[in-house]
Every structure is written in structure tokens, then in C-alpha cells.
Amino acid sequence: MPTVGKVEGIQKTAPPAAWIGCRTRGDGWNSCIRSDCDILVDSFLKDSNVDVRSLLVLLLRALLLETVAFMTNDDLAERVASIAALADPIRRDLYFYVTAQPAPVSRDRASDALGIAHHTAKFHLDKLTEEGLLDIEFKRLTERRGPGAGRPTKLYRRSSRQLSVTLPERRYDLAAQLLASAVEVTADGTLINDSLKVAAADSGRSVGDQARAAAGPQASRERLLDCTCEALSECGYAPRRTGSTIVLSNCPFDTLAREHTQLICGMNLAMLAAVIEQVQETALSARLEPATNRCCVVLDAS
């Protein structure tokens, strides 16, 4: 496996300044991440070796970075609309109030807490529900039953839906899954780099199988190339074909790759090499060719 050094011209960039569900406070979002990582690492790995400790810190960082699955144009429009619903200050305050409560709240309680009219609270709470940011349930708030007890009260609580929009697309969730698998395997004495490459290769074979299944039986090389590009698009690589070469114009693991180049680029190469292995009729090979503003791996004809 070739060794990848830090790519010249790439500067470290800070993670996003804020994300839905967490407010920046104190000395900032990135410092909060490091604090959380330090607490968890100290709790679980006081006696572990340095390599495992370092990898778990990286895993925690990947988990705390914004995560987003493959998005179609419709998915993107829906997510942007949902997040844009919080642009209104009253709506945003209502959202943060409801999500901070230990139990679902009524619109009367929310309006009293924020000092706004009941009809205003109802309007904005229902808008948040329409956008999937809040869920509703109906419950009687008194012990009275039978005739005269009145109708159940409409209550609002935080939705289980997770929203994240990252442009260009990032797949830190996938990086976290691979890193977690690598940490688990190290318990039997396997070296971390080896276990991470194995986990990445397993993931890559699944992507290759997806491309082959989409291409259908006895597919032509051209058809298989197209389906391979589609499968890579769903992983966030934004492939671009130029003759017999496929350039991956987006790195799904960008922030991690900038700060941990050798480890993440090695993982990336192992994953993409396994993709190509599953669609070997394309006659492609995966090689490291680091450059700015794209993935470190290039796929081209052998």
C-alpha cells in the first residue's frame, strides 16, 4: 500500500460552526468536540495502547461531524425547507423550548413560556410539525374520564427525524462505521491499519455488488462503468468520467482526510480497490493520486 503524505497546498479547515441540535457556546464547537472525545476516551481507554486510543478519538470526531446520506435533488430541497423553517425567530425559539423539555408540551404551555399569543404558538408549532421537526400526540392532562372530560390535548415533542445538509456531500457516518469496525477487531491483536483496510474492503465489495446488480446479467463494459459511477455517486464521490479514467471529484471524508491523511486515504484506497475488484470487467484499477478539491484516489484502465 503506497504511503500518502500531507498534500501540499491543503490547509486544515475547522468543522462547521454549528449544527442542528447543538448550540455553540464557550470557546466554540470544535473545542466542545475535543472535550467530549477526551471524556469518552479517558473513560473507556485508560489502559489501551496509543494506536487504539488515537483511532477511537478519530472515530468520535467522525461521529460528531455533520453526517448526511446520499441526497437526490428532491431530498436536498426537502431538507433545506425543513431547516429553513427555523429561520423564523419565534419558530426557532419554540423548537428549542419544546426539545429541551423532558415530556411533550401543549401549545398553551409553550405560548406561556415564550410570552406569545396562543394562536401564534399554534401556527408555528404546526409548521414545525409539517416540516418533520416536531411530532404530535394526544393525551388527557386530567384524570377525568367519560362525558364532560373533554377532548385529549394536542402535545408536541421533538421528532426522531435527523436532518443534515452538507454541500458538497460528506459521509462521515460511513467513516465512523469503518473506524468502529476497526476498533472492534483490534481486540484480537490485529493491527489497526490492517483491520481498517479489511473493514473498508468489505464496504467496497458491497458497493461493487450494488453496481453489478444494477447493471444486470451479461452487462457490457460500458453499462458496468455507468452503474459503477452511479454506485460511487451514492457514496458521495461525485465521479466524472474522462475517457477511460474516472476522477472522483468529491472526497466524502474531506475534513478527516485533511487532518489524518495517511490513515483516511489508505482506508479510501482499500475501499475503492475492492469496488473495482467486484466489477473487474471494467478493467479499472485504483491508484493514489492526491490533489486539491477531489478524492485522493483515481480510477483508470489498467
Side-chain angles (χ1 to χ4, degrees):
M1 183 73 65
T3 300
V4 183
K6 185 65 102 176
V7 179
E8 292 185 5
I10 293 183
Q11 301 296 322
K12 292 185 179 181
T13 57
W19 98 93
I20 297 301
C22 176
R23 294 179 174 179
T24 302
R25 63 180 185 271
D27 54 356
W29 187 86
N30 198 35
S31 296
C32 179
I33 285 180
R34 290 199 180 96
S35 175
D36 290 344
C37 288
D38 289 343
I39 292 171
L40 289 171
V41 170
D42 288 342
S43 297
F44 295 109
L45 287 178
K46 287 183 178 179
D47 299 324
S48 297
N49 64 61
V50 175
D51 287 339
V52 174
R53 182 187 179 92
S54 299
L55 190 57
L56 186 54
V57 170
L58 187 56
L59 164 61
L60 293 170
R61 289 207 58 220
L63 287 169
L64 288 167
L65 286 167
E66 286 182 300
T67 63
V68 60
F70 170 68
M71 292 185 295
T72 64
N73 288 339
D74 289 342
D75 292 332
L76 177 60
E78 181 182 351
R79 294 182 190 191
V80 168
S82 296
I83 293 176
L86 296 173
D88 183 286
I90 295 177
R91 199 170 299 169
R92 184 168 59 250
D93 288 344
L94 280 167
Y95 174 79
F96 283 125
Y97 173 75
V98 171
T99 58
Q101 305 312 306
V105 300
S106 67
R107 65 172 178 265
D108 289 344
R109 180 179 166 190
S111 64
D112 291 345
L114 270 65
I116 59 177
H118 288 198
H119 69 273
T120 301
K122 178 183 183 302
F123 172 78
H124 287 295
L125 287 168
D126 287 344
K127 283 295 183 182
L128 290 168
T129 302
E130 289 175 14
E131 294 297 342
L133 296 173
L134 296 179
D135 285 341
I136 59 172
E137 61 182 68
F138 292 88
K139 182 179 180 181
R140 295 187 187 279
L141 300 183
T142 68
E143 297 298 324
R144 293 186 61 184
R145 295 292 183 270
R151 293 183 298 175
T153 302
K154 188 176 185 179
L155 303 176
Y156 300 84
R157 56 182 169 79
R158 181 173 59 188
S159 169
S160 60
R161 182 187 183 195
Q162 299 184 53
L163 285 174
S164 179
V165 176
T166 308
L167 297 174
E169 187 175 357
R170 300 291 182 243
R171 287 299 308 274
Y172 300 118
D173 57 331
L174 176 56
Q177 291 169 12
L178 298 178
L179 290 163
S181 296
V183 169
E184 289 178 347
V185 174
T186 56
D188 65 6
T190 304
L191 294 177
I192 289 175
N193 282 346
D194 293 340
S195 61
L196 182 56
K197 289 171 187 175
V198 169
D202 286 343
S203 178
R205 281 188 284 272
S206 295
V207 175
D209 289 341
Q210 174 188 336
R212 180 173 290 284
Q218 299 181 336
S220 66
R221 178 177 183 270
E222 193 67 20
R223 169 69 176 163
L224 203 51
L225 279 169
D226 287 342
C227 290
T228 300
C229 285
E230 289 175 9
L232 292 173
S233 291
E234 293 184 13
C235 293
Y237 284 103
R240 184 178 65 248
R241 286 182 61 184
T242 305
S244 60
T245 300
I246 298 177
V247 174
L248 306 172
S249 55
N250 183 55
C251 174
F253 318 115
D254 182 69
T255 298
L256 296 176
R258 289 170 184 259
E259 299 183 3
H260 307 276
T261 307
Q262 184 171 341
L263 183 69
I264 300 302
C265 287
M267 176 192 79
N268 211 10
L269 179 60
M271 178 177 171
L272 291 167
V275 173
I276 300 309
E277 181 182 345
Q278 296 302 99
V279 289
Q280 54 186 319
E281 295 89 341
T282 61
L284 293 173
S285 61
R287 59 181 171 82
L288 282 171
E289 189 180 297
T292 57
N293 299 320
R294 66 165 173 81
C295 175
C296 61
V297 178
V298 170
L299 310 176
D300 57 14
S302 302

